Amino acid sequence: MLRVRCLRGGSRGAEAAHLIGAMVGRAVTGWAQRALQSTSSAAAAQSQRAIDEEHVTEPEQQECPVCSYNEWDPLEEVIVGRAENAQVPPFTVEVKANTYEKYWPFYQKNGGQAFPADHLKKAVAEIEEMCNILRHEGVTVRRPEPMDWSVVYKTPDFTSSGMYAAMPRDILLVVGNEIIEAPMAWRARFFEYRAYRPLIKEYFRKGAKWTTAPKPTMSDKLYDQEYPIRTVEDRHKLAAQGKFVTTEHEPCFDAADFIRAGRDLFVQRSQVTNFMGIEWMRRHLAPDYNVHIISFKDPNPMHIDATFNIIGPGLVLSKP
């Protein structure tokens, strides 16, 4: 789920009155000009064309539909993901590093195939019910496009199938009136942004800023191919040493590793977010925003909101 817009103050009534006044003023001026025109039909036609052109080129005044600076303001509009057609990601090194040993046989057996039908049916039903609850609370709910995630794609560096568009929080970050597309770090999520492009283009046309972070090649150099993970104990040791499956070969990050508090954003180095990705965000948002790196005693860091949430001014919910 991604917050697109939060409640905020403003002078919409004053803006509307100003716009109406300007329109009335232009209409009266145009009428006076026409009344004083020559009776020459050619001159009248030329003047009318000028008035029509002025009307056509008048810029449309509307409020940007995207505005969100934190995680706790009341919602006006939100993007909720889809579980339809979800695929189990291929069991690559970055997927292995983010899943526990007891689940490895499932990924080894089902990687690149659809999730079990009964599992998907329950997931779709639960998400739909959440959307209904949000709508009943007066929130506008937007959804990504349904996609066929079973399609196998190939780049010069890897071959993979897709995964899902169930978690917009992972791929999209709203900072003020800007939508930032995260580059991601899993090969199975390389083209996940395509499900959200129609929505993003709509927001862009209505005034939102739209930034796409540099897309990583996701070549073998981005991952530690010998990442020594076998047990939970290994995870604790590696995390304590600051070792992760992603290298610093090129920037990568998931949007869900950032959390917002006004002009300050907090981020963690994780299995999917490297320091190059964090530095790209720091430079992109400077000087208007500050980016702070924090860390936790987490044996498998991936997405900061699973550990640390700022739920109000001066109020943090943290998983010890």
Side-chain angles (χ1 to χ4, degrees):
M1 187 170 70
L2 179 77
R3 292 167 178 254
V4 173
R5 184 175 175 188
C6 297
L7 292 173
R8 54 191 170 134
S11 54
R12 300 178 185 175
E15 292 171 356
H18 175 76
L19 177 60
I20 293 170
M23 293 172 63
V24 171
R26 286 194 298 272
V28 172
T29 301
W31 174 83
Q33 289 175 343
R34 288 192 298 273
L36 296 174
Q37 286 172 354
S38 167
T39 57
S40 169
S41 59
Q46 182 178 5
S47 177
Q48 184 61 47
R49 282 198 301 271
I51 294 172
D52 291 342
E53 288 173 0
E54 179 185 359
H55 176 73
V56 169
T57 57
E58 181 68 27
E60 182 180 359
Q61 297 187 23
Q62 58 183 352
E63 185 180 23
C64 177
V66 176
C67 184
S68 181
Y69 290 89
N70 58 52
E71 311 292 340
W72 61 81
D73 278 345
L75 280 176
E76 285 187 358
E77 187 165 335
V78 67
I79 300 174
V80 177
R82 290 184 180 276
E84 288 89 344
N85 306 322
Q87 298 282 304
V88 179
F91 194 55
T92 51
V93 63
E94 73 274 16
V95 175
K96 182 179 180 181
N98 283 278
T99 52
Y100 283 96
E101 183 180 5
K102 63 180 179 180
Y103 298 120
W104 289 353
F106 172 83
Y107 284 93
Q108 289 171 327
K109 177 182 179 182
N110 299 291
Q113 303 177 44
F115 276 94
D118 58 337
H119 184 88
L120 279 180
K121 184 178 180 181
K122 293 176 182 178
V124 170
E126 289 181 2
I127 295 173
E128 289 297 330
E129 181 59 21
M130 183 176 70
C131 291
N132 289 333
I133 292 172
L134 288 168
R135 293 187 185 102
H136 284 129
E137 292 294 328
V139 176
T140 299
V141 176
R142 309 301 303 276
R143 309 295 300 277
E145 293 293 307
M147 305 287 290
D148 181 3
W149 302 108
S150 67
V151 175
V152 175
Y153 47 85
K154 183 176 182 179
T155 79
D157 297 287
F158 69 89
T159 300
S160 182
S161 54
M163 191 172 166
Y164 52 40
M167 302 179 184
R169 172 79 172 91
D170 294 356
I171 191 171
L172 300 175
L173 179 66
V174 173
V175 181
N177 67 346
E178 180 179 11
I179 302 172
I180 300 175
E181 278 185 34
M184 311 302 286
W186 283 22
R187 289 170 169 174
R189 308 188 75 176
F190 190 85
F191 286 111
E192 190 170 324
Y193 69 88
R194 296 179 68 245
Y196 299 96
R197 277 294 174 88
L199 279 175
I200 296 173
K201 287 188 289 185
E202 177 187 329
Y203 290 132
F204 176 74
R205 291 187 180 105
K206 292 181 178 179
K209 293 182 179 179
W210 172 17
T211 300
T212 300
K215 199 70 174 173
T217 62
M218 295 190 186
S219 69
D220 288 348
K221 293 181 180 179
L222 181 59
Y223 312 102
D224 181 354
Q225 300 295 329
E226 304 299 325
Y227 191 66
I229 182 170
R230 293 171 296 276
T231 65
V232 174
E233 288 73 22
D234 286 341
R235 291 177 183 271
H236 282 281
K237 291 178 183 179
L238 292 166
Q241 296 168 9
K243 294 182 179 180
F244 307 93
V245 70
T246 46
T247 68
E248 297 297 329
H249 174 65
E250 56 190 345
C252 68
F253 64 85
D254 280 14
D257 266 326
F258 290 82
I259 199 161
R260 307 158 306 147
R263 297 294 178 179
D264 294 279
L265 284 81
F266 299 88
V267 61
Q268 66 174 356
R269 179 32 166 124
S270 76
Q271 299 285 20
V272 294
T273 297
N274 62 13
F275 288 120
M276 284 191 73
I278 295 172
E279 182 59 22
W280 184 90
M281 279 287 287
R282 188 197 306 277
R283 296 185 194 182
H284 175 71
L285 294 173
D288 298 321
Y289 298 89
N290 303 306
V291 176
H292 311 275
I293 301 175
I294 53 180
S295 60
F296 310 93
K297 292 182 179 180
D298 186 348
N300 188 42
M302 180 184 177
H303 301 164
I304 193 170
D305 54 355
T307 307
F308 180 83
N309 263 288
I310 306 173
I311 59 176
L315 187 61
V316 168
L317 178 64
S318 182
K319 178 183 178 183

